[in-house]
Amino acid sequence: MASKGKKSDAEKRNPKTNTYINRELSWLAFNQRVLLEAADNTVPLLERLKFLMIYQSNLEEFFRVRIGILTHRAILTPDKREQFSNLLPADEIQAILRVVREQQSLMESVWRNIREEFKAHKIDVLDFKKISKVDELMSKKLFGDMKTMLFPQIIDTTQPLPFLWGEASYVVAFFGRSTEQKLAVIPLDKIPPYLSFEIDGCQKIVLTDQLVRHFLPLLLKKEIITQSAIIRVTRNADVFLSNMQARGGEETRQKMSTMLSKRKREMPVRLQINGKLSDAARLLLIKKLRIPESHVFNSEVPFNLSFRSAIGSYDHFRYEERRPARDIGLKKGEYFHYIEKHDLIMSFPFQSMLSFVDLIYEAADDPEVISIKITLYRMSVSSKIAAALAYAADKGKDVLCLLELRARFDEQNNIDYSEMLEDAGC
């Protein structure tokens, strides 16, 4: 019993007077609302699948960033409480993992319902546990076509695992005698995430990670496979430069490139397993990856749901397409004349970004324009704005672009564009 005026260890670890909701738990509550959209039967089917994909993508980034940061805090400052909810880093992590597990049961239920509804509309996401002979034969042919792109890495169970890249799926298979058991790790990065074929008016979606797992005996010939699963590792992305001295230019780019290389090899913060493994096999993976067992999640939901793009044009499966309205009513060559007499407000993405691109091209061609200055945060893979700025520099304009190299998970894209814009004379 704690003496009067002193708090017990339990009270210190779980204060009862928290005024604020923890920011991480609040974010998980937001992500659950995304999942609830996927569970809503009034939402069109493909939009529900899209919400499920967004939920998964959000959670992946959450583990990479927020769990990554908390993991470092739990190591470096384990006794420092979060400012508002007064939780220790280890307590925050455990609370997060508990909520994620609670949400997982809903996620799996949502996936089952979506899959069944697809099947009712003659779109069958193949389940290799109960597959027809015809589907089996077609799938076997597809596997034969991709077999040459699969390269199993076989190790003794006493050896270290091959490096598993984050956000990538692998098939793992255990085979051999119990005393001389071996492990095959099969990267799937060389094959597409899904394939599709049609039989009797029914579209068949083949998830290739499950296809490879099903036909492992054809890949690992003469081996007796005892168990297998599909796994995916989420790696810590909390490696930002906290004391970066450089303020721009080549030095900053070099440091950011080094940081990105380091991030790819950071420690795992989550292991996902699709398929049944024995306790011994599961513990072996945990030990080799050096990940806490509480961070391991078994899930029946596929890791990659991008087959959504293979579904045909069923209008009732989607929301009505919304396009940006190009309602400014101006064309290239009319902008400067207009803004001499009127204010002009552009609001994106409600209006088309092409209007703004036209404005840059008009400025590039106007002999009275001396310079163009712009701040950019995230650049698309194919940026029309970058092309317009390069054109302006080529036309002799003084183009100054402040580009954020630390836009999380778009760093490499922005680094590449910074080099391209400099080469163009910006």
Side-chain angles (χ1 to χ4, degrees):
M1 184 174 180
S3 60
K4 190 175 181 180
K6 291 185 178 180
K7 291 183 178 180
S8 67
D9 290 341
E11 287 174 322
K12 290 177 182 178
R13 289 179 62 82
N14 300 293
K16 297 179 181 178
T17 56
N18 293 344
T19 306
Y20 298 97
I21 298 173
N22 176 266
R23 64 171 281 182
E24 320 302 352
L25 300 181
S26 174
W27 186 92
L28 289 173
F30 147 74
N31 205 33
Q32 183 172 16
R33 293 199 294 275
V34 177
L35 185 57
L36 289 173
E37 288 295 315
D40 186 347
N41 290 330
T42 65
V43 174
L45 184 55
L46 282 175
E47 303 299 339
R48 289 165 58 197
L49 181 61
K50 184 177 181 179
F51 278 119
L52 184 57
M53 293 170 65
I54 293 170
Y55 172 83
Q56 285 186 313
S57 175
N58 284 349
L59 198 58
E60 176 80 16
E61 185 170 328
F62 179 81
F63 267 86
R64 294 181 69 192
V65 178
R66 300 309 308 169
I67 294 291
I69 290 172
L70 288 172
T71 299
H72 283 160
R73 286 180 184 170
I75 296 170
L76 300 173
T77 56
D79 298 323
K80 186 176 179 180
R81 295 184 181 278
E82 196 268 329
Q83 182 180 2
F84 298 106
S85 61
N86 206 29
L87 291 173
L88 296 173
D91 294 332
E92 284 190 80
I93 291 174
Q94 292 310 309
I96 288 166
L97 296 175
R98 184 174 62 253
V99 172
V100 171
R101 290 192 190 282
E102 291 169 358
Q103 292 181 0
Q104 182 170 310
S105 60
L106 174 59
M107 178 179 69
E108 292 178 346
S109 173
V110 167
W111 165 242
R112 286 192 295 269
N113 291 339
I114 289 175
R115 189 174 192 165
E116 286 303 314
E117 194 165 337
F118 270 129
K119 198 166 185 178
H121 288 88
K122 294 190 174 183
I123 301 169
D124 187 10
V125 183
L126 292 187
D127 182 352
F128 285 96
K129 287 181 252 181
K130 41 186 179 182
I131 188 170
S132 70
K133 289 184 178 180
V134 175
D135 290 345
E136 172 94 8
L137 287 171
M138 288 296 296
S139 299
K140 187 175 181 179
K141 183 180 183 304
L142 293 176
F143 178 78
D145 293 339
M146 70 168 58
K147 186 179 172 184
T148 55
M149 295 183 283
L150 299 171
F151 303 96
Q153 302 174 50
I154 298 174
I155 62 168
D156 189 280
T157 52
T158 60
Q159 295 176 303
L161 275 177
F163 184 81
L164 304 182
W165 296 100
E167 300 182 89
S169 295
Y170 297 81
V171 172
V172 295
F174 291 82
F175 59 91
R177 300 175 185 172
S178 57
T179 54
E180 299 177 2
Q181 200 167 50
K182 292 187 177 181
L183 172 64
V185 179
I186 305 155
L188 304 176
D189 57 316
K190 304 297 183 186
I191 62 175
Y194 65 87
L195 297 168
S196 176
F197 62 91
E198 189 170 315
I199 295 180
D200 297 330
C202 182
Q203 185 178 9
K204 307 287 184 174
I205 305 293
V206 184
L207 302 180
T208 52
D209 52 2
Q210 297 181 15
L211 178 74
V212 172
R213 184 188 175 207
H214 182 69
F215 288 108
L216 277 173
L218 299 181
L219 186 65
L220 303 173
K221 293 180 179 179
K222 300 180 182 179
E223 303 292 354
I224 299 175
I225 300 166
T226 56
Q227 54 187 318
S228 64
I230 305 158
I231 65 171
R232 185 182 177 97
V233 169
T234 304
R235 292 190 175 274
N236 190 337
D238 180 37
V239 288
F240 269 88
L241 307 175
S242 58
N243 56 351
M244 186 168 63
Q245 299 298 319
R247 294 300 176 188
E250 192 60 37
E251 185 181 354
T252 303
R253 277 201 295 259
Q254 288 175 354
K255 288 189 176 184
M256 289 300 299
S257 295
T258 300
M259 182 274 292
L260 292 176
S261 178
K262 181 181 177 184
R263 175 195 283 169
K264 293 176 183 177
R265 296 185 175 275
E266 277 291 289
M267 291 299 297
V269 290
R270 181 175 62 159
L271 170 63
Q272 294 171 278
I273 301 174
N274 186 298
K276 192 172 183 180
L277 292 177
S278 67
D279 291 343
R282 178 186 168 100
L283 289 172
L284 180 69
L285 291 176
I286 290 171
K287 181 179 178 181
K288 289 186 179 296
L289 288 168
R290 292 186 290 168
I291 186 170
E293 189 167 0
S294 58
H295 291 236
V296 180
F297 292 82
N298 278 82
S299 176
E300 64 181 50
V301 182
F303 303 143
N304 190 319
L305 297 172
S306 59
F307 71 85
R308 178 180 182 272
S309 57
I311 307 300
S313 56
Y314 296 83
D315 291 340
H316 60 290
F317 280 2
R318 294 179 170 88
Y319 285 129
E320 182 180 350
E321 187 176 2
R322 298 179 181 179
R323 295 180 178 274
R326 192 164 182 174
D327 55 1
I328 293 174
L330 299 173
K331 298 178 182 178
K332 180 176 173 284
E334 300 176 346
Y335 285 87
F336 285 174
H337 178 72
Y338 180 86
I339 61 180
E340 282 179 356
K341 301 177 180 179
H342 309 278
D343 290 334
L344 177 62
I345 297 176
M346 297 182 184
S347 180
F348 309 111
F350 303 104
Q351 292 168 323
S352 170
M353 184 62 73
L354 292 177
S355 300
F356 182 68
V357 174
D358 284 347
L359 176 60
I360 297 177
Y361 277 110
E362 181 174 335
D365 289 333
D366 192 314
E368 295 188 19
V369 171
I370 298 172
S371 65
I372 298 173
K373 299 180 181 180
I374 190 170
T375 299
L376 298 171
Y377 184 62
R378 293 187 189 273
M379 305 283 278
S380 65
V381 175
S382 179
S383 172
K384 291 182 173 61
I385 291 179
L389 293 174
Y391 174 82
D394 186 59
K395 296 288 285 187
K397 308 303 180 186
D398 180 13
V399 180
L400 176 63
C401 176
L402 178 62
L403 180 57
E404 174 58 83
L405 297 186
R406 296 184 296 176
R408 198 184 296 269
F409 303 131
D410 277 329
E411 300 96 341
Q412 189 60 58
N413 203 35
N414 284 9
I415 287 171
D416 294 342
Y417 268 117
S418 72
E419 293 173 344
M420 183 277 279
L421 289 170
E422 278 193 348
D423 290 342
C426 300

